[in-house]
Amino acid sequence: MAGSDDVVLLNFWASPFGARVKIALAEKGVVNYDYKEEKLADKSSLLLKMNPVHKKVPVLIHHGKPICESNIIVQYIDETWQNDDPPLLPSDPYLKAQARFWADFVDSKVRFSGIWRTKGEEQESAKKEFIDLLKVLEGQLGEKPYLIGESFGYADIAVIPLSCWFYALETVGKMNIGQECPKLIEWVERCMERESVSKSLPDPHKIYEYLLEKMKKLG
Amino acid sequence: MATKSEIKLLGTPASPYVNRVQFVLNLKSIEYEYIEENLACKSELLLTSNPVHKKIPVLFHANKPPICESLIIIEYLDEIKPDVHRILPSNPIERADNRFWANYIDNKFYPLYEELRLTLGKEGKELIKKQIIEGSVLLEEAFMKFSNEKAYFGGDDIGYLDVVLGCFLAWTKFVEKHNEFKVFDDVRTPRLAEWTKRIWSHEAVKDVIPGNEPIVNFYMMLQKYKPPGAV
C-alpha cells in the first residue's frame, strides 16, 4: 500500500507548483506525510540544504533524498507509487509526450503578473495575453473531459492550480474568465469534483487576500 | 522498426536543441529524414506543426501529429526504442535527478549565453560571465556525481545529460572566443574540460555538431532580428 513513511513535502501554501505535488500525492493515496510550511522570506536550513541550486519550493524529500521542480516531482511520484488507478502519465509514448508538452506549456508560456502589476494599456495587454493562452488550453481540451483524454492525469495536474488564481485575477483585473473560456471552467469544475484536487488547492479567496498584500507591498 | 520515411525531424544545423535530438536518433540507430527549416522565414510546415511555440525541433513519426520540445522528443524516442542505447535510467530517483539538471541547463545555464549577447557594456557582460562561470562549477559537481569516475554523465557511455549539455559545445566554443573567457577550463572544471574533448569525437555526435559557419550565420541572424540592448 502507499507508504507515507519518510515522505516530507516542503511547500508554501499559495504555491501553484506545490499544489501539483499535493494533488499527485493524494491521487496515489500517499497521506500522512510530513508537511512543512516554508516562509519564503525566511527559508529554512532544510530547504536550503535540499534545494541549494534554486532554493525554491516545492521540494519532496523521500527517504532523505530531495526531488525538486514540481513537474519532475509529479513524474517521480507517478513512477514510484503505483496503485489500481491508471498512471498519471499515459502509458502510450505519444500521449505521454502530449501530456508533457501541456505541462511544459503552463510553465513556459503562462504569465499573469502583468494583470496585477500594471495598469491601463499595459494591463489590458496582459489580460488579453492571459485569456489567449487560456483559449489555447481550451482548444487542447476540445470535447474531451480532460486535457489528454478520458482520464485525469499529469497535464490536468499541471494546469489546474492556475484556477485558484482566477478569482483574484478577475477581481483585480476586472475580467470574466468564465465568459471568455466556458469550457475551461467546466473542466475546472470537473477536476474540483476530485477530492485530491479540492483538498489540495488553496482557497481562491485566500489567494485574493494574498495578492492584495503583495500589491500593497509594491506600493 | 522505424524506417527512414517514418521519422522526420524539422530543424536547423545551428540549433543545439535539434542537435541533441539528432544525437539520440544516432545513438538509437533510428533512421530519419532531416528537413531543414529557415528560421528567418518560418515555413508553413513549422507554423502549423508547432503553432504554440513556432520553434524547432519538431519530430514527425508516421501519421501521428507532431511532437515538439527537444527534451519531450528525447523521452519519446527513448520510450519507443527502449532496448537500444537507453538514454534515461530506469530508477525513478535517478530519472528525477537527470531531469532536474536538464531543467537547470535549459532554464538557467544556457539562457545566460543569450543574455551575454544581449547585454551591452563591459561591466554588464562581466556580471553575466561570472554567472556562467558559477554555473560551470555547479555542472562540474554534477558531472562528478553522475559519472562516478567514469567518462560520461551516463557512466561508460553517453547518457541523458551528455546529450543535453553536449549539444551546446559549438556555441560554447563560439561564446568563449567572442568574449575572451573559458566556460569550461582545465583548472576550474577539469573533468568537464576532458569530457568536452571526449564527447566532441564521439561517433553519434561528431557529424552532428555544426562547424563555425552555421554558428556565425545564426549569430548574425540573432544580431539582426534581436539586437543587443533589446529587453
Side-chain angles (χ1 to χ4, degrees), chain B residues 26-45:
Chain B
N26 289 347
L27 288 164
K28 288 184 163 297
S29 304
I30 297 176
E31 289 198 16
Y32 64 101
E33 188 189 322
Y34 180 79
I35 305 171
E36 188 153 338
E37 177 63 43
N38 176 5
L39 292 180
C41 179
K42 292 178 179 178
S43 69
E44 189 65 29
L45 179 64

Side-chain angles (χ1 to χ4, degrees), chain A residues 160-203:
Chain A
I160 194 65
L162 263 184
S163 67
C164 58
W165 280 81
F166 286 177
Y167 173 72
L169 294 173
E170 283 177 318
T171 312
V172 166
K174 297 191 179 39
M175 38 198 278
N176 188 332
I177 295 172
Q179 212 166 65
E180 302 272 4
C181 307
K183 287 231 172 256
L184 192 70
I185 297 301
E186 273 173 34
W187 165 81
V188 170
E189 285 161 5
R190 195 174 299 126
C191 292
M192 287 294 280
E193 283 168 15
R194 299 179 83 82
E195 212 179 306
S196 65
V197 177
S198 59
K199 291 217 159 133
S200 303
L201 292 191
D203 181 339

Side-chain angles (χ1 to χ4, degrees), chain A residues 72 75 79 94 96 100-101, chain B residues 65 72 75 79 95 99:
Chain A
I72 293 175
Q75 288 183 79
E79 289 165 14
Y94 180 75
K96 209 182 275 193
R100 289 187 172 129
F101 178 87
Chain B
I72 294 176
E75 292 217 28
E79 282 151 19
R95 290 161 74 81
R99 287 172 176 145

